[in-house]
Amino acid sequence: MKFTLSWLKDHLETDATLDEIVERLTAIGLEVEHVDDKAALKPFVIARVLTAVQHPDADRLRVLTVDTGSGAPVQVVCGAPNARAGLVGAFAAPGTYVPGIDVTLSVGKIRGVESHGMMCSERELQLSDEHDGIIDLAPDAPVGTSFAAWAHLDDPVIEINLTPNRPDATSVHGIARDLAASGLGRLKTAPVEPIDGTGKCPVKVAIEAPDLCPGFALRLVRGVRNGPSPKWMQQRLIAIGLRPINALVDITNYVTFDRGRPLHVFDAAKVAGNLAVRRARDGEKVLALDGREYALKPDMCVIADENGVESIAGVMGGEHSGCDENTTDVLIESALWDPMATARTGRTLGIITDARYRFERGVDPEFMVPGLELATRMVMDLCGGEPTQAEVVGYAGHEPKVVSFPLSEVKRLTGLDVPGAESLDILNRLGFVPQGDGEVVDVAVPSWRPDIDGKADLVEEVMRIHGVDEIAPLPLSSHDAVNGKILTTLQVRTRAARRALAVRGMMEAVTWSFIPAGHAELFGGGQAALKLANPIAADMSDMRPSLLPGLISATQRNADRGFADVALFEVSGTYEGDTPQAQRRVAAGIRRGTAGLDGAGRHWSGNAGNVGVFDAKADAFAALEAAGAPVDRLQIEQGAPGWYHPGRSGLIKLGPKVVLGHFGEFHPRTLEGLDVSGPLCGFEVFLDVIPEPKARPTRTKPKLELSPFQAVKRDFAFVVDRQVEAGALTRAALAADRKFITGVSVFDVFEGAALGEGKKSIAIEVSIQPQEKTLTDEDFEALARRVVENVSKQTGGVLRG
């Protein structure tokens, strides 16, 4: 939100300096982001052209002698067609920075003639787009004085950063109200006088969608003369970044910023019949004022006449009924629009306007009709014309919200000891109406504060006006004992997983929690409960069921910009099930191209290979191990989700039921659906599924002791059916005796005609760790028999001779 100091003082009677105003704005919660004190225009002075002669070596240049009021006249070479003797304009001396052309002047020669500065056009001073000639001032303009001060261009521009809950501060009047309430002056509260129009408005309004439009006010003004707006209005609009168009349009923009009341003007001659406020129909389109055509949807509100849509309600008007220099009769519209519907329409169409910015936050309903009266008065003053009576439809009046306010809450919530009388006085100055007395007071909320819902909001109002800096700083209280555990188990796992994946050369990414519906369906989502009612963009409609779509898309964006070999990870939340509350904490990672564990790109020993399933598996196990999962007992099985390649992926399980994650290369169908390419592999592990660690060992009862006996390894080879998985065989061998067998690994797989049709040989290494004594040959033989029997029983395997 931008405004000038003089604009603010139209609403605030104060002697405060610019610095005091800026400091107070930030103190009361309207944070000042930037102040432009117009220092760039201070070096320009008013100067008079004494003589103007033809340049000896250029037909379009003139050599001027210019009186700058500082001594002897200076010589200036100028190419402006209106350069002449006697002209008074704005002069820039050598060393002056000219903002419109981004140049710092110096003494130079132009076609052999020295030039000591320049006479400036409006565009060179960023006053307008006019650059056909130099600025032509009144003959009596005081030579030698500051041009900016004389033309009132030295008005500082203040920019504040508004939080979404402060729609009342989207106007200069609202900001002045806050400053006055804080004691920095007096608010000028002249009421808006109603205008007695002649006859009824001939154009009627029918509200067919009252849920989208709670009120609509309209008035016809006949016989207007639409030309440029006055200089003072143009200067203020330019100062805040708006381009002056014509008087009618500039008036609506001015009222939008001055009073927070967006308006729209229709050329009455271009409106066919009466107006209807309704939902858009399938297939309807409108050419908007920005010159673009928009396809509308049935959930969007529009203003239409007999010819079709004339305006996108609360967002932007249509090109067809816009006002131009030929407009003589104008319809002024002041309406109320549903904030949610306005925000949804603007986001869907990708339109950002000052009107949408205010309507989606909530405008003052009680200023709908006064806003129409104010705009009508300005149109009559600047453009002439004869108004009709106002047509007001649908508005039932504002019912003030009443909040019960215990005065003691100020002390409890903020620590400020503010007397009850002062708290009520602050609320009074802000426009609230306390009712009754006592320790608990009912407070009526003003119509311009839709953000006030409860007692905590009233406490915040008292706190910010009384002064946040009045809260006394207090040191944290110390404890006599060592602090207990602060982080939860899930927080510890999240940190550990992040560090482990970063150590492996992966870069952390933060992706959106919202993804397109098509991406969600590819990764098991798409449930109705996870679709957003008010998405921030059309392609962010679903809560993500997986971290992988966002990471894969991020790797493709990197590849499109020349970074094809990239490894990304993210540890965050995903959403699943039939309710948005069904969340889980997930660590996920993606490797692309040659960004594998052995490095990426070119190397003296040869190019690195493409990433694959084993890279993803190693990343998944590293994240699980860092998070405290018992990796020595994890099992890899088939059955990874359908977005992975069925033959190059795996499921990570702890026991028969607990799934800790999955990994692998991606299915070509998945990559096609995401519109990505290249070698890609990835993983996801579920940190919230890992079993809680057991109680830590104490000094009196150690739970883990190193065995003093030598570990022994024995090899076994089994002949099994070809479809038997190696994992099933290792699990069977491990279960033969969990007391002595500490590990089983596969070291050979062989298939051949000697084994028989449909058979294969799997060789395993079994690690045996005695705990209480050295095992005898008889003990090893008995253990070997149990291994063979268990494998045979569970897999049908036969010990290979």
Side-chain angles (χ1 to χ4, degrees):
M1 174 66 188
K2 290 183 178 181
F3 55 94
T4 66
L5 182 60
S6 66
W7 198 345
L8 176 68
K9 289 186 176 182
D10 283 352
H11 298 276
L12 182 69
E13 185 179 320
T14 181
D15 295 327
T17 65
L18 175 63
D19 290 340
E20 290 172 337
I21 291 173
V22 168
E23 183 178 356
R24 184 64 58 86
L25 283 170
T26 299
I28 61 177
L30 304 178
E31 180 186 3
V32 176
E33 283 195 330
H34 180 67
V35 177
D36 182 3
D37 61 357
K38 297 297 181 181
L41 296 180
K42 291 181 180 179
F44 297 89
V45 298
I46 298 176
R48 184 187 306 276
V49 178
L50 300 177
T51 63
V53 298
Q54 186 68 39
H55 190 287
D57 196 26
D59 294 338
R60 298 186 178 183
L61 296 179
R62 290 177 176 269
V63 180
L64 314 179
T65 55
V66 178
D67 177 14
T68 64
S70 60
V74 297
Q75 180 173 278
V76 175
V77 177
C78 179
N82 64 334
R84 66 184 187 278
L87 180 143
V88 179
F91 172 75
T96 301
Y97 173 73
V98 183
I101 57 177
D102 192 25
V103 168
T104 299
L105 299 179
S106 60
V107 177
K109 284 189 176 183
I110 302 176
R111 293 288 187 94
V113 177
E114 278 194 352
S115 181
H116 298 260
M118 69 180 296
M119 298 294 289
C120 302
S121 68
E122 290 191 356
R123 188 175 72 172
E124 286 157 349
L125 271 61
Q126 294 185 328
L127 302 180
S128 73
D129 292 332
E130 178 62 42
H131 65 285
D132 290 337
I134 55 181
I135 297 174
D136 193 348
L137 303 179
D140 58 350
V143 173
T145 61
S146 168
F147 169 72
W150 179 83
H152 304 291
L153 297 175
D154 56 349
D155 196 3
V157 178
I158 304 170
E159 181 177 4
I160 64 174
N161 181 21
L162 283 182
T163 52
N165 67 319
R166 292 300 307 276
D168 60 302
T170 59
S171 69
V172 181
H173 183 80
I175 295 168
R177 183 195 299 118
D178 264 19
L179 287 171
S182 73
L184 203 70
R186 183 183 64 83
L187 181 66
K188 300 178 182 178
T189 55
V192 178
E193 296 294 335
I195 293 175
D196 295 325
T198 303
K200 293 185 177 181
C201 180
V203 178
K204 303 303 178 183
V205 180
I207 300 179
E208 300 175 10
D211 56 323
L212 302 181
C213 178
F216 196 103
L218 187 72
R219 170 178 275 139
L220 175 67
V221 182
R222 298 185 178 94
V224 300
R225 298 178 300 278
N226 189 21
S229 57
K231 201 70 175 179
W232 65 266
M233 182 178 289
Q234 292 189 34
Q235 288 174 350
R236 286 186 174 177
L237 294 178
I238 291 171
I240 63 174
L242 295 181
R243 180 175 62 89
I245 299 174
N246 55 55
L248 291 173
V249 175
D250 291 353
I251 288 170
T252 63
N253 287 333
Y254 187 83
V255 176
T256 296
F257 280 83
D258 186 67
R259 302 302 291 261
R261 165 32 66 180
L263 304 160
H264 185 62
V265 287
F266 299 89
D267 188 328
K270 301 174 183 177
V271 175
N274 296 322
L275 296 178
V277 180
R278 59 172 173 82
R279 284 177 166 81
R281 302 184 179 118
D282 280 328
E284 280 190 320
K285 296 181 178 180
V286 62
L287 180 64
L289 286 171
D290 61 358
R292 296 174 58 189
E293 187 176 67
Y294 295 95
L296 307 176
K297 296 183 178 180
D299 62 345
M300 298 177 181
C301 187
V302 299
I303 303 173
D305 62 6
E306 294 178 359
N307 292 331
V309 177
E310 293 292 352
S311 175
I312 307 171
V315 179
M316 184 177 286
E319 176 75 24
H320 168 71
S321 58
C323 296
D324 54 30
E325 66 277 3
N326 300 316
T327 299
T328 57
D329 298 340
V330 61
L331 286 167
I332 308 175
E333 167 250 304
S334 176
L336 298 174
W337 307 110
D338 177 69
M340 292 293 289
T342 304
R344 184 166 53 247
T345 298
R347 289 171 184 169
T348 301
L349 299 179
I351 302 176
I352 300 174
T353 61
D354 294 317
R356 173 197 158 185
Y357 180 85
R358 287 158 177 79
F359 279 124
E360 68 184 5
R361 284 160 173 77
V363 301
D364 182 4
E366 288 290 87
F367 200 72
M368 180 185 75
V369 175
L372 178 66
E373 305 287 3
L374 177 61
T376 304
R377 174 62 63 190
M378 295 186 73
V379 169
M380 294 170 61
D381 291 344
L382 302 182
C383 305
E386 182 179 352
T388 66
Q389 297 174 6
E391 174 86 2
V392 181
V393 182
Y395 185 58
H398 174 71
E399 185 68 28
K401 187 187 304 179
V402 177
V403 177
S404 180
F405 180 40
L407 298 177
S408 60
E409 287 293 277
V410 176
K411 173 72 172 178
R412 187 181 72 85
L413 294 179
T414 68
L416 289 171
D417 193 7
V418 183
E422 183 181 346
S423 295
L424 297 180
D425 182 53
I426 289 173
L427 294 176
N428 261 313
R429 298 200 302 266
L430 288 170
F432 296 83
V433 183
Q435 302 168 349
D437 52 16
E439 290 301 314
V440 180
V441 179
D442 288 338
V443 177
V445 179
S447 58
W448 58 82
R449 291 304 300 270
D451 57 303
I452 303 297
D453 285 321
K455 59 185 181 182
D457 297 321
L458 296 177
V459 170
E460 182 183 2
E461 296 300 300
V462 173
M463 176 187 68
R464 69 184 184 87
I465 299 300
H466 179 78
V468 179
D469 54 348
E470 296 293 328
I471 300 176
L474 295 174
L476 293 174
S477 57
S478 60
H479 300 281
D480 295 333
V482 177
N483 289 334
K485 181 179 178 181
I486 297 176
L487 298 180
T488 65
T489 300
L490 195 56
Q491 288 172 329
V492 172
R493 290 174 178 173
T494 299
R495 289 187 174 190
R498 282 195 176 112
R499 290 171 179 168
L501 294 173
V503 165
R504 296 176 65 79
M506 306 183 81
M507 293 181 290
E508 185 173 11
V510 179
T511 63
W512 288 100
S513 296
F514 323 124
I515 60 176
H519 293 188
E521 292 169 2
L522 282 173
F523 286 82
Q527 296 92 335
L530 298 184
K531 291 189 176 295
L532 297 174
N534 187 26
I536 62 175
D539 59 348
M540 291 186 176
S541 59
D542 288 51
M543 302 299 289
R544 62 185 178 194
S546 167
L547 299 179
L548 294 175
L551 290 173
I552 293 173
S553 299
T555 60
Q556 185 62 42
R557 287 193 294 272
N558 278 273
D560 293 341
R561 288 159 177 77
F563 300 95
D565 304 313
V566 64
L568 302 178
F569 78 90
E570 183 173 8
V571 184
S572 189
T574 61
Y575 307 85
E576 60 181 22
D578 297 328
T579 63
Q581 289 74 31
Q583 301 182 31
R584 65 190 324 175
R585 178 65 56 168
V586 179
I590 295 290
R591 291 185 184 270
R592 188 187 190 280
T594 62
L597 302 178
D598 55 350
R602 296 181 297 175
H603 192 262
W604 64 267
S605 61
N607 289 342
N610 291 331
V611 295
V613 59
F614 295 109
D615 295 304
K617 176 188 174 185
D619 291 332
F621 269 70
L624 287 170
E625 183 176 18
V631 292
D632 57 326
R633 294 193 285 119
L634 299 184
Q635 305 162 12
I636 306 298
E637 296 183 3
Q638 292 182 342
W643 50 86
Y644 291 109
H645 191 292
R648 301 174 190 170
S649 59
L651 204 61
I652 306 174
K653 299 180 70 175
L654 180 62
K657 296 182 179 179
V658 181
V659 177
L660 294 185
H662 37 72
F663 63 88
E665 301 174 29
F666 293 99
H667 199 291
R669 183 177 60 248
T670 303
L671 301 182
E672 182 180 357
L674 295 174
D675 193 23
V676 300
S677 60
L680 278 163
C681 68
F683 73 92
E684 277 188 303
V685 294
F686 311 122
L687 303 181
D688 51 357
V689 181
I690 300 173
E692 287 284 341
K694 295 182 179 180
R696 293 182 178 180
T698 64
R699 293 185 178 181
T700 56
K701 293 182 179 180
K703 289 201 169 186
L704 178 62
E705 290 184 356
L706 295 177
S707 174
F709 303 102
Q710 179 69 39
V712 180
K713 294 182 179 180
R714 291 288 186 267
D715 296 342
F716 298 84
F718 293 93
V719 178
V720 296
D721 291 337
R722 183 175 295 169
Q723 64 269 23
V724 174
E725 297 177 358
L729 193 144
T730 58
R731 288 194 298 272
L734 187 64
D737 193 323
R738 295 191 178 274
K739 180 179 179 181
F740 291 112
I741 299 177
T742 58
V744 178
S745 61
V746 177
F747 67 85
D748 182 60
V749 177
F750 169 72
E751 295 183 21
L755 299 176
E757 179 113 17
K759 298 292 184 179
K760 65 180 178 182
S761 170
I762 300 178
I764 61 175
E765 180 184 76
V766 179
S767 299
I768 304 168
Q769 177 62 66
Q771 295 291 335
E772 298 174 354
K773 65 174 183 176
T774 301
L775 299 182
T776 64
D777 289 343
E778 291 77 11
D779 295 330
F780 282 116
E781 289 296 329
L783 182 58
R785 283 195 298 272
R786 290 196 297 274
V787 171
V788 173
E789 290 171 0
N790 215 46
V791 170
S792 177
K793 180 180 178 181
Q794 295 190 25
T795 67
V798 178
L799 188 65
R800 184 176 174 188

